Amino acid sequence: MLNQEFEIAVEKVPQDQLKSKPAQDKLGFGQFFSDHMFSMKWNRKQGWHQAAIQPYRQLDLDPAAMVLHYGQAIFEGMKAYRAEDGRILLFRPQDNFARMNLSAVRMCMPRFPEERVLQALRSLIYLDREWVPRSEGASLYIRPTMIATEPMLGLRAAEEYQFFIIACPVGAYYAEGFNPTTIYVEDQYVRAVPGGVGDAKTAGNYAASLKAQIAAQKKGYTQVLWLDAREHKYIEEVGTSNIFFMINDVLLTPPLEGSILPGITRDSVLQLARDWEIRVEERPISIDEIITASENGTLQESFGTGTAAVIAPVGELCYKESSIQINQGTTGPLAKRLYEELQGIQFGSRADHHEWVVPVR
Ligand code: COI
């Protein structure tokens, strides 16, 4: 049930109890949280209710809450940017909320009213606008989340949920910043299987990725590149982002066939590339095709795309203990052009032809 009538109560942190803000050059990623959060609850009888912007606080969760046992947890990642003229801008927030409702349906969780929640988000970010960083490239990362809160140990879909949004000022996701990352191609573990939940942004997908990520990091690589579960042959996505390759002047990325996340940055990159009349193909790409392209000199560049990572150039790929350099380990021209264009649109300094940007007020 979607209760469209909910009112949003606002409880502000008293002025003298506002948190002090972190130094702009020490933001890192996901360590500091703004003063307020949005929260609402759902049960079968009342639908969505108790919608409130309130001081950032701990959740009141029963140890039997079903999310802790059976993993009904979904989330999104989005950002608010400070434009030079002082406006605070969101990037394609409607698409994040639409995707979150698809995740909700897949995980047997209730859908939420996207327009009302977007309104709540805008009010939250306006209230916490001083948390939107002023330093170059930094932004306010926003994490909408929904969890099953019903205390119950029988296995079924929960009948009580909490939805909340928290926000944190962030710098670059990777320590490398916009410099090329190094990637280990995982050929033992898999992230998602056909018919599974790979295209839902659900917490378990990230938990399942940790073992391979730790192993890759021990070998000195930043991230893991996942291959398909059936043949361990076709490229799927990187730990925190979708992946692109430029081969022979064609921009390639794996198709959305259920096992990879339908990234909003991925979609934006595809649209920009098409605007620029770059030939684009969404099709299965085997790891052998990448190795061959590297050997015959047609592999021009590679980069990951994601909200947190933005555009993350890939400088090195290691597969079965042998490694290939991409673009001599440097950032490629397309990655650079896309990064500048996307950040320009997001920060309001470049024309927004696709109407992706939504001002907070
Ligand atoms: C995002 O890019 O927003 C994500 O959710 C990835 C996460 C691992 C930081």
Side-chain angles (χ1 to χ4, degrees), residues 29 75-78 141 143 173 201 206 239-240 306-309:
F29 190 93
F75 66 92
E76 276 301 318
M78 51 218 284
Y141 185 77
R143 177 51 66 86
Y173 184 75
K201 203 161 172 69
Y206 294 81
T240 57
T307 299

Side-chain angles (χ1 to χ4, degrees), residues 43-224:
N43 63 33
R44 198 163 289 289
K45 201 159 149 239
Q46 295 166 283
W48 288 110
H49 62 287
Q50 241 175 284
I53 291 172
Q54 59 194 41
Y56 185 98
R57 60 170 66 133
Q58 298 200 343
L59 299 178
D60 182 12
L61 208 58
D62 194 291
M66 292 177 88
V67 63
L68 302 176
H69 304 273
Y70 306 126
Q72 276 179 294
I74 58 173
F75 66 92
E76 276 301 318
M78 51 218 284
K79 281 176 175 169
Y81 307 84
R82 184 180 293 279
E84 281 219 337
D85 60 10
R87 285 177 310 151
I88 309 285
L89 306 173
L90 298 166
F91 185 71
R92 304 185 67 178
Q94 302 92 330
D95 296 291
N96 283 95
F97 286 140
R99 183 173 70 176
M100 192 166 180
N101 263 335
L102 291 178
S103 299
V105 170
R106 180 63 184 87
M107 301 305 290
C108 304
M109 301 166 86
R111 290 166 50 84
F112 60 89
E114 292 163 25
E115 273 308 313
R116 299 303 307 269
V117 171
L118 177 55
Q119 202 41 49
L121 172 66
R122 292 167 84 169
S123 304
L124 172 69
I125 302 304
Y126 186 73
L127 182 59
D128 276 353
R129 59 192 177 280
E130 280 308 310
W131 284 87
V132 182
R134 292 183 159 78
S135 52
E136 203 190 323
S139 53
L140 187 71
Y141 185 77
I142 299 164
R143 177 51 66 86
T145 307
M146 193 200 303
I147 56 171
T149 50
E150 185 190 0
M152 157 68 183
L153 294 186
L155 177 59
R156 59 160 168 74
E159 297 195 345
E160 292 168 24
Y161 294 86
Q162 184 165 0
F163 179 111
F164 57 87
I165 304 178
I166 54 176
C168 53
V170 298
Y173 184 75
Y174 293 121
E176 290 91 337
F178 185 56
N179 296 316
T181 55
T182 57
I183 297 221
Y184 188 80
V185 183
E186 175 58 52
D187 61 352
Q188 182 191 355
Y189 297 110
V190 294
R191 175 187 172 274
V193 296
V197 293
D199 59 352
K201 203 161 172 69
T202 184
N205 284 338
Y206 294 81
S209 75
L210 295 176
K211 199 165 174 72
Q213 185 182 317
I214 291 166
Q217 282 168 349
K218 273 198 187 137
K219 290 182 180 140
Y221 293 89
T222 325
Q223 277 291 328
V224 165

Side-chain angles (χ1 to χ4, degrees), residues 243-275:
I243 185 87
F244 284 79
F245 296 91
M246 186 77 160
I247 298 181
N248 230 353
D249 291 332
V250 181
L251 185 61
L252 303 174
T253 197
L256 301 178
E257 288 177 342
S259 60
I260 69 171
L261 199 72
I264 288 149
T265 314
R266 172 189 181 279
D267 182 71
S268 309
V269 161
L270 288 171
Q271 293 199 48
L272 289 175
R274 288 184 175 121
D275 292 349

Side-chain angles (χ1 to χ4, degrees), residues 40 43 77 82 153 229 232 282 314 328:
M40 63 179 182
N43 63 33
R82 184 180 293 279
L153 294 186
H232 293 213
E282 292 174 76
V314 179
Q328 290 92 45

